Amino acid sequence: MIHTIDITKEHCPMTFVKTKIKLAQIAQGDLLEVTLKAGEPLENVPRSAAEQGFIVLETKQLHDDVYQVTIQK
Amino acid sequence: MKITVNGEAKQYEQAVVTVADLLVLEQVASPEMVSVQQNGDFVATEQFETTLIHDGDEIDFLFFMGGGSIPDFSNI
Amino acid sequence: MDLTEQQIERYSRHILLQQVGYEGQLKIAQGKVLIIGAGGLGAPAALYLAAAGVGTIGIIDADVVDITNLQRQVIHHTPDIGVPKVTSAANKIAEINPDVRVIQYHSWFNPDNALQIISDYDFIIDGTDNFPTKFLINDACVMVGKAFSHGGILRFEGQTFTHIPGTACYRCIFPKVPPKNLVPTCSQAGVLGSIAGMLGTIQATEALKYILGIGDLLTNKLLVFNALNMQFRTVPVKKNDNCPVCGTNPSITELVMEEQAVCELKTK
Ligand SMILES: [Zn+2]
């Protein structure tokens, strides 16, 4: 199953906090598509997710400085 | 004799024979306030005088520690 | 149970930790910790446990705040002099974190109330300053199978260990209350105030680890430190088969308050 979260309005560290909480609520193996801003969020959220044992599958640009990172639980 | 006391390697000129002797050498003022472990096993207070210490033993002195203030038991 | 947006922000630094996370914060919120003695050790422990969001904190202390407490009992402030310690502590906790439910026991922890009180909690913090109560806490926790953290401080030194069922208890290390005349008197005692904070926060950390089920607790080892040279040492201790309360043939089968020296300088 695919879930989504938009953290473009969040700032560090709430960007990853919100992502983590969403990941905690989904089932093992499910995907989470995280919409986030370039810069700090794009650098740190995938890295933190990988560090904590999640799988970062793909990163793509949606438009301008808005990106989407797909993370698997 | 070489003994490790509270994690510190120590060399004694004097003959350390029993736990009680070591307490005197280490200037432990009140043996009743200390619990002694010899190589990880507790030595009963009554056996301080008769428990022999061997070269290479690891001895730990554990002291009673209460708190920084004094209780008032008048209203218990 | 869910955390509100505000709680998510409040506990964000916990949630970020891999070993805590959202689920861990929920465990903390459901945790129940009893602090026996709102003094030097209980004060910092209570502050950090409250800030951490421990759902229920019980505090037992019959004393009122005295000016001599303020040098180290940081949960009590100057205007609290004369106020029951449990009230003073509960007020500060409410200010730090309104999520926490505080249960106040304005009495001493004694053989009559011990088992009843501890039965409501997951983890007990020994923040007392006297040997009879320390032994009583140990015996009560061993008898009903509760986890607790022992703490002791004196001058520049501190010691602590954690007991969970099946591991070494206080009496495994110290079988009986020290003789009356050897307990340091008021004038000899004294303690550097910050030592209380060092030790109380270690105890709070053990409580949180226990609630979260993470890491290695200070079980079967006694942590001792001397702040003068800032050396910490962990001494392995074993569960003692001859222990009078948890040994194979226990001689202590009911709770008693053992005798100890009463300080003559204390004026009330
Ligand atoms: Zn025991």
Side-chain angles (χ1 to χ4, degrees):
Chain A
M1 215 182 139
I2 300 176
H3 309 263
T4 57
I5 185 172
D6 183 341
I7 55 166
T8 51
K9 290 191 172 59
E10 304 291 344
H11 298 281
C12 179
M14 294 309 293
T15 44
F16 186 57
V17 169
K18 291 287 171 74
T19 308
K20 245 192 108 165
I21 290 171
K22 193 74 186 179
L23 284 165
Q25 291 161 346
I26 70 175
Q28 198 71 33
D30 279 8
L31 302 185
L32 179 64
E33 291 177 348
V34 186
T35 307
L36 41 62
K37 287 277 186 80
E40 184 278 321
L42 184 60
E43 280 164 34
N44 290 326
V45 170
R47 198 178 64 190
S48 302
E51 273 172 10
Q52 300 205 0
F54 301 101
I55 304 161
V56 180
L57 296 175
E58 159 180 57
T59 302
K60 66 180 182 197
Q61 188 177 21
L62 293 182
H63 57 84
D64 306 314
D65 65 341
V66 178
Y67 285 73
Q68 187 186 73
V69 175
T70 306
I71 301 170
Q72 185 173 31
K73 185 175 181 180
Chain B
M1 186 184 304
K2 280 182 189 158
I3 311 167
T4 304
V5 180
N6 285 355
E8 217 178 297
K10 294 209 167 182
Q11 174 102 40
Y12 295 92
E13 303 286 310
Q14 307 90 326
V16 185
V17 184
T18 64
V19 168
D21 292 338
L22 185 64
L23 288 168
V24 172
L25 277 175
E26 287 293 313
Q27 301 175 330
V28 175
S30 332
E32 296 84 351
M33 290 294 285
V34 66
S35 191
V36 178
Q37 279 200 122
Q38 182 179 30
N39 303 320
D41 289 313
F42 286 103
V43 180
T45 313
E46 309 81 62
Q47 286 162 17
F48 284 179
E49 301 277 347
T50 53
T51 303
L52 302 178
I53 289 186
H54 309 282
D55 199 49
D57 273 1
E58 291 191 17
I59 306 289
D60 284 299
F61 293 147
L62 307 174
F63 292 90
F64 268 112
M65 232 173 260
S69 60
I70 300 299
D72 175 9
F73 281 97
S74 54
N75 46 2
I76 282 182
Chain C
M1 181 182 176
D2 275 318
L3 298 179
T4 63
E5 281 299 303
Q6 257 206 346
Q7 287 171 326
I8 288 170
E9 296 210 19
R10 179 186 281 266
Y11 305 118
S12 58
R13 267 50 170 192
H14 276 166
I15 295 168
L16 282 167
L17 292 167
Q18 184 169 10
Q19 295 85 342
V20 183
Y22 189 78
E23 301 91 332
Q25 190 61 47
L26 291 180
K27 284 187 197 166
I28 295 174
Q30 281 151 9
K32 296 177 176 178
V33 179
L34 175 68
I35 299 172
I36 303 178
L41 304 176
L47 292 173
Y48 274 100
L49 292 175
V54 171
T56 305
I57 298 178
I59 304 179
I60 175 163
D61 201 312
D63 236 334
V64 296
V65 179
D66 180 275
I67 194 166
T68 61
N69 301 149
L70 304 180
Q71 163 255 17
R72 67 199 172 285
Q73 301 180 13
V74 292
I75 205 166
H76 311 303
H77 302 168
T78 306
D80 300 316
I81 291 169
V83 174
K85 286 186 176 177
V86 285
T87 311
S88 163
N91 291 342
K92 300 327 173 321
I93 290 174
E95 282 176 18
I96 294 168
N97 192 345
D99 295 344
V100 178
R101 185 168 73 112
V102 183
I103 299 175
Q104 304 176 39
Y105 306 89
H106 189 204
S107 64
W108 293 115
F109 188 73
N110 62 48
D112 299 325
N113 62 21
L115 297 178
Q116 166 86 44
I117 293 176
I118 65 173
S119 67
D120 292 334
Y121 295 88
D122 306 319
F123 192 91
I124 289 95
I125 289 184
D126 166 12
T128 61
D129 53 13
N130 65 86
F131 295 111
T133 313
K134 287 188 182 303
F135 279 87
L136 177 64
I137 292 168
N138 179 75
D139 297 351
C141 289
V142 168
M143 281 177 194
V144 299
K146 288 282 176 184
F148 77 96
S149 166
H150 160 84
I153 48 172
L154 189 65
R155 302 185 186 99
F156 297 93
E157 292 174 58
Q159 69 178 24
T160 177
F161 76 92
T162 301
H163 167 85
I164 62 172
T167 66
C169 82
Y170 192 46
R171 284 193 197 265
C172 287
I173 307 172
F174 302 107
K176 52 181 192 281
V177 174
K180 263 186 176 183
N181 51 333
L182 293 171
V183 174
T185 65
C186 313
S187 50
Q188 285 171 332
V191 65
L192 190 71
S194 57
I195 300 298
M198 290 171 68
L199 203 90
T201 49
I202 292 174
Q203 293 185 284
T205 307
E206 289 288 283
L208 291 172
K209 281 163 57 188
Y210 179 81
I211 292 169
L212 290 163
I214 60 169
D216 298 313
L217 296 166
L218 270 175
T219 48
N220 292 328
K221 40 192 180 266
L222 183 72
L223 173 71
V224 292
F225 69 81
N226 181 334
L228 281 182
N229 50 22
M230 214 41 108
Q231 282 192 338
F232 286 68
R233 208 163 78 85
T234 308
V235 185
V237 290
K238 274 190 223 155
K239 186 168 151 56
N240 190 341
D241 288 342
N242 300 319
C243 173
V245 68
C246 79
T248 41
N249 222 333
S251 55
I252 298 162
T253 51
E254 59 181 62
L255 296 179
V256 285
M257 187 65 109
E258 297 190 42
E259 238 178 75
Q260 102 158 113
V262 172
C263 178
E264 285 139 22
L265 295 184
K266 180 101 180 184
T267 50
K268 267 272 158 111

Short mmCIF file of all heavy atoms in Angstrom, two decimals, chain C residues 208-240:
data_model
loop_
_atom_site.label_atom_id
_atom_site.label_comp_id
_atom_site.label_asym_id
_atom_site.label_seq_id
_atom_site.Cartn_x
_atom_site.Cartn_y
_atom_site.Cartn_z
N LEU C 208 13.52 5.38 32.57
CA LEU C 208 13.07 5.53 31.18
C LEU C 208 13.49 4.32 30.34
O LEU C 208 12.72 3.80 29.53
CB LEU C 208 13.62 6.82 30.57
CG LEU C 208 13.01 8.11 31.16
CD1 LEU C 208 13.75 9.34 30.65
CD2 LEU C 208 11.52 8.22 30.83
N LYS C 209 14.73 3.85 30.52
CA LYS C 209 15.19 2.67 29.79
C LYS C 209 14.32 1.46 30.11
O LYS C 209 13.98 0.66 29.24
CB LYS C 209 16.65 2.36 30.15
CG LYS C 209 17.66 3.24 29.45
CD LYS C 209 19.02 3.18 30.12
CE LYS C 209 19.58 1.77 30.20
NZ LYS C 209 20.83 1.74 31.04
N TYR C 210 13.96 1.34 31.39
CA TYR C 210 13.14 0.21 31.81
C TYR C 210 11.76 0.28 31.13
O TYR C 210 11.27 -0.71 30.60
CB TYR C 210 12.99 0.19 33.33
CG TYR C 210 12.12 -0.94 33.82
CD1 TYR C 210 12.64 -2.23 33.95
CD2 TYR C 210 10.78 -0.73 34.13
CE1 TYR C 210 11.84 -3.28 34.37
CE2 TYR C 210 9.98 -1.78 34.55
CZ TYR C 210 10.51 -3.05 34.67
OH TYR C 210 9.72 -4.09 35.08
N ILE C 211 11.17 1.47 31.16
CA ILE C 211 9.84 1.64 30.54
C ILE C 211 9.91 1.35 29.04
O ILE C 211 9.04 0.71 28.47
CB ILE C 211 9.33 3.08 30.78
CG1 ILE C 211 9.02 3.31 32.26
CG2 ILE C 211 8.09 3.37 29.93
CD1 ILE C 211 8.76 4.76 32.61
N LEU C 212 10.99 1.81 28.41
CA LEU C 212 11.14 1.64 26.96
C LEU C 212 11.61 0.24 26.58
O LEU C 212 11.48 -0.17 25.42
CB LEU C 212 12.14 2.67 26.42
CG LEU C 212 11.66 4.13 26.42
CD1 LEU C 212 12.84 5.08 26.27
CD2 LEU C 212 10.65 4.35 25.30
N GLY C 213 12.21 -0.46 27.54
CA GLY C 213 12.78 -1.77 27.24
C GLY C 213 13.99 -1.67 26.33
O GLY C 213 14.18 -2.51 25.44
N ILE C 214 14.82 -0.66 26.55
CA ILE C 214 16.00 -0.49 25.68
C ILE C 214 17.29 -0.54 26.50
O ILE C 214 17.30 -0.28 27.70
CB ILE C 214 15.95 0.84 24.90
CG1 ILE C 214 15.91 2.04 25.84
CG2 ILE C 214 14.75 0.86 23.95
CD1 ILE C 214 16.11 3.38 25.16
N GLY C 215 18.37 -0.85 25.82
CA GLY C 215 19.70 -0.79 26.42
C GLY C 215 19.92 -1.83 27.50
O GLY C 215 19.17 -2.81 27.63
N ASP C 216 20.98 -1.62 28.28
CA ASP C 216 21.31 -2.52 29.38
C ASP C 216 21.16 -1.76 30.68
O ASP C 216 21.77 -0.71 30.86
CB ASP C 216 22.76 -3.01 29.25
CG ASP C 216 22.97 -3.81 27.97
OD1 ASP C 216 22.13 -4.68 27.68
OD2 ASP C 216 23.96 -3.53 27.25
N LEU C 217 20.37 -2.30 31.57
CA LEU C 217 20.18 -1.65 32.87
C LEU C 217 21.39 -1.91 33.76
O LEU C 217 22.19 -2.81 33.50
CB LEU C 217 18.91 -2.19 33.53
CG LEU C 217 17.60 -1.87 32.80
CD1 LEU C 217 16.47 -2.73 33.35
CD2 LEU C 217 17.26 -0.39 32.92
N LEU C 218 21.48 -1.13 34.82
CA LEU C 218 22.56 -1.30 35.80
C LEU C 218 22.22 -2.45 36.74
O LEU C 218 22.20 -2.27 37.96
CB LEU C 218 22.72 -0.02 36.61
CG LEU C 218 23.69 1.06 36.13
CD1 LEU C 218 23.58 2.28 37.05
CD2 LEU C 218 25.13 0.55 36.11
N THR C 219 21.92 -3.60 36.17
CA THR C 219 21.61 -4.76 37.01
C THR C 219 22.87 -5.59 37.19
O THR C 219 23.71 -5.67 36.30
CB THR C 219 20.51 -5.63 36.36
OG1 THR C 219 20.84 -5.86 35.00
CG2 THR C 219 19.17 -4.94 36.43
N ASN C 220 22.98 -6.21 38.37
CA ASN C 220 24.15 -7.01 38.72
C ASN C 220 25.44 -6.22 38.60
O ASN C 220 26.51 -6.75 38.31
CB ASN C 220 24.23 -8.29 37.88
CG ASN C 220 23.10 -9.25 38.25
OD1 ASN C 220 22.68 -9.30 39.39
ND2 ASN C 220 22.62 -9.98 37.27
N LYS C 221 25.33 -4.91 38.76
CA LYS C 221 26.52 -4.09 38.84
C LYS C 221 26.21 -2.82 39.63
O LYS C 221 25.09 -2.30 39.57
CB LYS C 221 27.11 -3.76 37.48
CG LYS C 221 26.14 -3.43 36.39
CD LYS C 221 26.87 -3.41 35.03
CE LYS C 221 25.92 -3.07 33.90
NZ LYS C 221 25.38 -4.27 33.26
N LEU C 222 27.21 -2.38 40.35
CA LEU C 222 27.07 -1.16 41.14
C LEU C 222 27.93 -0.10 40.47
O LEU C 222 29.13 -0.29 40.28
CB LEU C 222 27.56 -1.43 42.57
CG LEU C 222 27.44 -0.28 43.57
CD1 LEU C 222 25.98 -0.05 43.96
CD2 LEU C 222 28.25 -0.59 44.83
N LEU C 223 27.29 1.00 40.10
CA LEU C 223 28.04 2.12 39.52
C LEU C 223 28.45 3.04 40.66
O LEU C 223 27.60 3.47 41.44
CB LEU C 223 27.17 2.88 38.52
CG LEU C 223 27.78 4.17 37.96
CD1 LEU C 223 28.93 3.87 37.01
CD2 LEU C 223 26.73 5.01 37.25
N VAL C 224 29.74 3.27 40.78
CA VAL C 224 30.21 4.20 41.82
C VAL C 224 31.01 5.30 41.14
O VAL C 224 31.71 5.06 40.17
CB VAL C 224 31.08 3.49 42.89
CG1 VAL C 224 30.26 2.53 43.72
CG2 VAL C 224 32.26 2.75 42.27
N PHE C 225 30.84 6.51 41.62
CA PHE C 225 31.67 7.57 41.06
C PHE C 225 32.14 8.51 42.15
O PHE C 225 31.53 8.64 43.20
CB PHE C 225 30.95 8.34 39.94
CG PHE C 225 29.78 9.19 40.39
CD1 PHE C 225 29.99 10.45 40.94
CD2 PHE C 225 28.49 8.73 40.23
CE1 PHE C 225 28.92 11.24 41.33
CE2 PHE C 225 27.41 9.51 40.64
CZ PHE C 225 27.62 10.76 41.19
N ASN C 226 33.28 9.11 41.87
CA ASN C 226 33.86 10.09 42.76
C ASN C 226 34.05 11.35 41.94
O ASN C 226 34.83 11.38 40.99
CB ASN C 226 35.20 9.58 43.29
CG ASN C 226 35.84 10.56 44.24
OD1 ASN C 226 35.59 11.78 44.19
ND2 ASN C 226 36.66 10.05 45.13
N ALA C 227 33.32 12.38 42.27
CA ALA C 227 33.33 13.59 41.46
C ALA C 227 34.63 14.39 41.62
O ALA C 227 34.94 15.23 40.78
CB ALA C 227 32.13 14.47 41.79
N LEU C 228 35.38 14.12 42.68
CA LEU C 228 36.62 14.88 42.87
C LEU C 228 37.61 14.58 41.75
O LEU C 228 38.29 15.47 41.27
CB LEU C 228 37.24 14.58 44.24
CG LEU C 228 36.60 15.30 45.42
CD1 LEU C 228 37.34 14.95 46.70
CD2 LEU C 228 36.60 16.82 45.20
N ASN C 229 37.71 13.31 41.36
CA ASN C 229 38.57 13.00 40.22
C ASN C 229 37.74 12.61 39.00
O ASN C 229 38.28 12.23 37.97
CB ASN C 229 39.59 11.91 40.57
CG ASN C 229 38.94 10.70 41.20
OD1 ASN C 229 37.74 10.48 41.01
ND2 ASN C 229 39.69 9.93 41.94
N MET C 230 36.43 12.70 39.13
CA MET C 230 35.46 12.40 38.09
C MET C 230 35.71 11.01 37.50
O MET C 230 35.71 10.81 36.29
CB MET C 230 35.48 13.48 37.02
CG MET C 230 34.12 13.77 36.39
SD MET C 230 32.75 13.80 37.56
CE MET C 230 32.39 15.56 37.63
N GLN C 231 35.93 10.06 38.40
CA GLN C 231 36.10 8.69 37.94
C GLN C 231 34.84 7.90 38.21
O GLN C 231 34.26 7.97 39.29
CB GLN C 231 37.29 8.05 38.64
CG GLN C 231 38.59 8.52 37.99
CD GLN C 231 39.79 7.72 38.44
OE1 GLN C 231 39.77 7.09 39.50
NE2 GLN C 231 40.83 7.75 37.66
N PHE C 232 34.42 7.18 37.18
CA PHE C 232 33.26 6.30 37.28
C PHE C 232 33.76 4.87 37.20
O PHE C 232 34.65 4.56 36.41
CB PHE C 232 32.29 6.54 36.11
CG PHE C 232 31.51 7.82 36.23
CD1 PHE C 232 32.12 9.05 36.13
CD2 PHE C 232 30.14 7.78 36.43
CE1 PHE C 232 31.41 10.22 36.23
CE2 PHE C 232 29.40 8.95 36.53
CZ PHE C 232 30.03 10.18 36.43
N ARG C 233 33.16 4.01 37.99
CA ARG C 233 33.58 2.61 37.98
C ARG C 233 32.32 1.74 38.12
O ARG C 233 31.42 2.06 38.87
CB ARG C 233 34.49 2.34 39.18
CG ARG C 233 35.48 1.23 38.97
CD ARG C 233 36.58 1.35 40.01
NE ARG C 233 36.14 0.85 41.31
CZ ARG C 233 36.18 -0.43 41.66
NH1 ARG C 233 36.66 -1.34 40.84
NH2 ARG C 233 35.76 -0.83 42.83
N THR C 234 32.28 0.67 37.36
CA THR C 234 31.15 -0.24 37.48
C THR C 234 31.68 -1.54 38.06
O THR C 234 32.53 -2.19 37.47
CB THR C 234 30.52 -0.51 36.10
OG1 THR C 234 30.26 0.76 35.49
CG2 THR C 234 29.22 -1.24 36.23
N VAL C 235 31.21 -1.87 39.25
CA VAL C 235 31.68 -3.07 39.93
C VAL C 235 30.64 -4.17 39.73
O VAL C 235 29.49 -4.01 40.13
CB VAL C 235 31.85 -2.81 41.44
CG1 VAL C 235 32.45 -4.01 42.14
CG2 VAL C 235 32.69 -1.56 41.68
N PRO C 236 31.04 -5.29 39.11
CA PRO C 236 30.07 -6.38 38.96
C PRO C 236 29.69 -6.93 40.34
O PRO C 236 30.55 -7.10 41.19
CB PRO C 236 30.84 -7.44 38.16
CG PRO C 236 32.05 -6.75 37.62
CD PRO C 236 32.36 -5.62 38.55
N VAL C 237 28.41 -7.13 40.57
CA VAL C 237 27.98 -7.75 41.82
C VAL C 237 27.05 -8.92 41.46
O VAL C 237 26.37 -8.87 40.44
CB VAL C 237 27.25 -6.76 42.76
CG1 VAL C 237 28.21 -5.75 43.32
CG2 VAL C 237 26.09 -6.06 42.07
N LYS C 238 27.10 -9.94 42.30
CA LYS C 238 26.31 -11.13 42.00
C LYS C 238 25.14 -11.24 42.95
O LYS C 238 25.22 -10.81 44.09
CB LYS C 238 27.19 -12.38 42.20
CG LYS C 238 28.01 -12.74 40.99
CD LYS C 238 28.64 -14.11 41.20
CE LYS C 238 30.08 -14.10 40.74
NZ LYS C 238 30.91 -15.10 41.39
N LYS C 239 24.10 -11.84 42.46
CA LYS C 239 23.00 -12.21 43.34
C LYS C 239 23.60 -13.20 44.34
O LYS C 239 24.31 -14.13 43.97
CB LYS C 239 21.90 -12.86 42.51
CG LYS C 239 20.64 -13.17 43.26
CD LYS C 239 19.56 -13.53 42.25
CE LYS C 239 18.53 -14.49 42.83
NZ LYS C 239 17.87 -14.03 44.04
N ASN C 240 23.33 -12.95 45.63
CA ASN C 240 23.96 -13.71 46.69
C ASN C 240 23.00 -14.78 47.22
O ASN C 240 21.91 -14.47 47.69
CB ASN C 240 24.33 -12.70 47.81
CG ASN C 240 25.19 -13.31 48.88
OD1 ASN C 240 25.26 -14.53 49.02
ND2 ASN C 240 25.86 -12.45 49.64
#
